[in-house]
Amino acid sequence: YRALLHFIEKHFGLLPAADCDAKCVMRMKMIMKDWSTSTQASYFACLKSIWNYANYKGYTGKTDYPFQRHEYEIDKVKVPKTKKRTEHFLTVEQISRIYHHWFEMPDEKGKDKSCKMYVGLFLFSYLGNGANVNDLLRLKYNNDWYNSDGKILSFVRHKTADKSPVKVQIPVTKWLKPILDYIADEPTRNGNVLGWFLKDTDTNDEETMFKRTMYVNSFTSVKVRKVCKVLGLREDVCVTFA
C-alpha cells in the first residue's frame, strides 16, 4: 500500500477517490506496462481494495467501477493475473548458461550500477535454496557461519518470523562460493553478508528496508533480463525465477 501511494503521488499527485475512474486506472496501467505481471497485479489488488472501501464510504459518488468484471467490458481495466508458481522457472541448462556467463562478465565490483553484482545476487538466490531478496539483505555472519568454518549461512524467514521462526540454512557449495566471494562483504561477527547492496540503509527501520528491498529486487531483474537477452533466453525473467 505504501508503494502504491508513492506511485500515485508521483504520477497523479493527491488523487481524490472520485477521480479514480476507468480512464485514470488505464493511465496507471500504461505507466506500468514494462513492469512484471506479478507487481502490476499486486498494485491493482491494493487499488481495488481502496476503491471498494471508498465506494462503501460514499467517497466515489457515481464513479463507475473501473475494473473489468467481464471480458466484454472493454472500456474497463483488466487486472493482470499473476502467473502460477510453476510457470516461473528456468531449466537447469538455462540457469547454467547464466552461471557460466557470469564468470565472463566485466569486473565492476564497487560500481553502483554493476551488472555483475546484481546478476550475482540472482544466482545467490537460486543457489541459496531460492531465498528471496528480503531475506538475503538481512543475512548475517552469525554463529552458524563461524561454527561451520564458513560453510553454512542461515536465516529465519522474515515474512513468517513471528508465526514460524524456522531457521533456513544455505550451504556454501562449490558453485555458490565464487559468487559469495565476489558479492559479499568481508566476514565480521554479526555483520551483514550483503552490506554492499544496503548502501547505508538502516536495517532496523522496516519502512527503509522495504524500500531498499523493492529497489534491489527491481534492479536485479533489470540486469538479469539484459543477460538473458544476450544469451537468447526468455526476457521476462525476474528474481522470482530464482
Side-chain angles (χ1 to χ4, degrees):
Y1 283 101
R2 286 194 300 267
L4 172 63
L5 177 62
H6 175 72
F7 169 81
I8 291 173
E9 288 180 330
K10 178 180 178 181
H11 295 284
F12 299 89
L14 191 59
L15 182 68
D19 291 350
C20 191
D21 54 11
K23 188 176 180 180
C24 177
V25 178
M26 191 69 75
R27 283 179 60 203
M28 292 184 187
K29 192 172 182 180
M30 284 298 297
I31 295 169
M32 298 179 188
K33 61 184 175 63
D34 294 327
W35 297 14
S36 69
T37 302
S38 59
T39 302
Q40 289 186 46
S42 297
Y43 273 56
F44 282 122
C46 292
L47 186 61
K48 283 175 72 174
S49 296
I50 294 169
W51 197 97
N52 288 335
Y53 181 74
N55 186 252
Y56 166 74
K57 297 290 286 186
Y59 300 144
T60 55
K62 295 183 179 180
T63 304
D64 290 330
Y65 188 67
F67 301 101
Q68 192 180 90
R69 290 193 180 100
H70 307 285
E71 290 292 334
Y72 58 77
E73 295 179 312
I74 57 175
D75 59 332
K76 296 185 179 181
V77 177
K78 183 177 182 180
V79 177
K81 290 185 178 179
T82 305
K83 291 183 179 180
K84 295 179 181 178
R85 184 69 67 173
T86 52
E87 295 180 80
H88 282 290
F89 74 93
L90 292 169
T91 65
V92 174
E93 186 271 336
Q94 290 171 324
I95 284 283
S96 295
R97 288 178 63 189
I98 296 174
Y99 180 81
H100 292 298
H101 176 79
W102 181 83
F103 288 91
E104 301 172 2
M105 293 175 69
D107 187 349
E108 304 174 303
K109 191 169 184 179
K111 292 184 179 179
D112 287 344
K113 306 298 182 183
S114 170
C115 189
K116 191 166 186 174
M117 291 291 285
Y118 284 95
V119 176
L121 182 64
F122 173 81
L123 292 169
F124 186 12
S125 175
Y126 176 79
L127 295 167
N129 292 327
N132 62 38
V133 171
N134 197 18
D135 291 321
L136 291 180
L137 292 185
R138 289 177 165 82
L139 269 181
K140 300 280 189 181
Y141 288 112
N142 58 19
N143 289 336
D144 286 338
W145 167 268
Y146 286 99
N147 293 340
S148 67
D149 195 25
K151 295 178 180 177
I152 292 176
L153 288 166
S154 67
F155 65 92
V156 174
R157 191 165 184 244
H158 183 71
K159 187 176 180 179
T160 57
D162 295 335
K163 299 177 182 178
S164 178
V166 178
K167 183 186 290 184
V168 179
Q169 290 191 333
I170 298 176
V172 182
T173 62
K174 64 179 181 181
W175 297 283
L176 177 56
K177 193 173 188 313
I179 303 286
L180 192 64
D181 288 344
Y182 189 83
I183 71 172
D185 287 22
E186 287 294 321
T188 57
R189 189 169 290 276
N190 292 320
N192 291 308
V193 176
L194 299 175
W196 184 87
F197 294 91
L198 294 171
K199 300 294 182 186
D200 301 320
T201 303
D202 182 359
T203 56
N204 295 314
D205 182 74
E206 281 299 315
E207 186 166 355
T208 303
M209 279 297 288
F210 171 79
K211 290 178 181 177
R212 191 67 201 173
T213 300
M214 291 281 287
Y215 173 84
V216 173
N217 249 315
S218 176
F219 215 76
T220 301
S221 297
V222 169
K223 297 301 186 181
V224 171
R225 286 179 192 133
K226 287 184 178 181
V227 170
C228 288
K229 185 175 183 179
V230 170
L231 297 177
L233 304 176
R234 57 187 298 174
E235 294 178 36
D236 60 341
V237 176
C238 60
V239 180
T240 308
F241 281 72

